[in-house]
């Protein structure tokens, strides 16, 4: 077993993991942060997306030991003081979700995009979310949701 420590959603967290433990399993099983989903285990769907030091990563293909010393943000870390993040508000207002399975990964990918590109074009949004699969929406309302959030003050 190896000890890992990282800041997760602003809190210092530690745990003992086997070197082969994936970050998604550390987050879900040891930290009880179940918002990121295990969808494919092959990095194809993006449902497991979290931010690692401000960049979107697919946590199903990253070992927890690789995140040691890093800052991780999960979907649980977006809302502040019981107030939805503008992206969460956008997904509600623009009907950017249906079944909700892909939503955490879409939100975290969009958060990473908006962190680096304040007012992305539709093409930039579509490029950013191209690594996330949604079987329900056809992406139109997801794009509108991200555009909604980009127009709000952050």
């Amino acid at each position: 077993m190896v000890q890992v420590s990282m800041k997760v959603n602003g809190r210092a967290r530690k745990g003992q993991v086997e070197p082969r433990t994936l970050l998604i399993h550390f987050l879900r099983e040891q930290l009880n942060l179940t918002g990121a989903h295990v969808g494919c285990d092959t990095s194809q769907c993006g449902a497991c997306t979290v931010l690692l030091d401000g960049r979107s990563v697919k946590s199903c293909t990253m070992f927890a030991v690789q995140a040691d010393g890093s800052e991780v943000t999960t979907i649980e870390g977006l809302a502040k003081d019981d107030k939805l993040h503008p992206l969460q508000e956008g997904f509600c207002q623009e009907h950017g979700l249906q079944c909700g399975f892909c939503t955490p990964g879409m939100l975290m990918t969009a958060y990473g995009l908006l962190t680096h590109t304040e007012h992305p074009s539709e093409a930039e949004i579509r490029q950013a979310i191209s690594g996330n699969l949604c079987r329900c929406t056809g992406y139109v309302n997801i794009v509108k949701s991200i555009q909604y959030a980009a127009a709000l003050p952050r």
Side-chain angles (χ1 to χ4, degrees):
M1 298 294 270
V2 177
Q3 180 165 322
V4 293
S5 61
M6 59 193 78
K7 189 180 271 191
V8 180
N9 299 330
R11 289 183 50 207
R13 305 297 296 262
K14 293 181 181 181
Q16 294 285 324
V17 297
E18 292 185 32
R20 66 181 182 194
T21 301
L22 295 173
L23 180 58
I24 184 72
H25 296 300
F26 175 69
L27 295 170
R28 291 179 62 84
E29 296 165 12
Q30 290 198 31
L31 303 185
N32 294 315
L33 296 171
T34 58
H37 295 143
V38 178
C40 66
D41 279 329
T42 61
S43 80
Q44 299 298 310
C45 74
C48 67
T49 302
V50 299
L51 295 184
L52 180 76
D53 296 326
R55 298 186 56 98
S56 299
V57 298
K58 293 180 180 176
S59 60
C60 75
T61 56
M62 179 176 195
F63 295 116
V65 296
Q66 291 175 289
D68 188 43
S70 295
E71 187 165 339
V72 177
T73 306
T74 70
I75 187 70
E76 291 91 345
L78 283 190
K80 300 288 186 223
D81 301 320
D82 294 326
K83 183 173 176 8
L84 292 178
H85 184 276
L87 277 164
Q88 293 167 311
E89 183 182 325
F91 271 65
C92 290
Q93 293 297 320
E94 297 295 329
H95 310 287
L97 64 127
Q98 285 183 19
C99 82
F101 192 81
C102 72
T103 305
M106 288 287 187
L107 284 166
M108 297 313 296
T109 298
Y111 184 89
L113 170 66
L114 294 182
T115 299
H116 301 289
T117 308
E118 192 169 328
H119 297 289
S121 67
E122 180 177 338
E124 289 171 314
I125 293 170
R126 288 185 177 279
Q127 176 62 36
I129 65 171
S130 66
N132 296 69
L133 298 179
C134 176
R135 295 180 179 176
C136 303
T137 67
Y139 302 95
V140 172
N141 288 347
I142 292 171
V143 171
K144 286 181 183 179
S145 300
I146 297 168
Q147 291 170 324
Y148 177 100
L152 294 176
R154 288 172 266 150

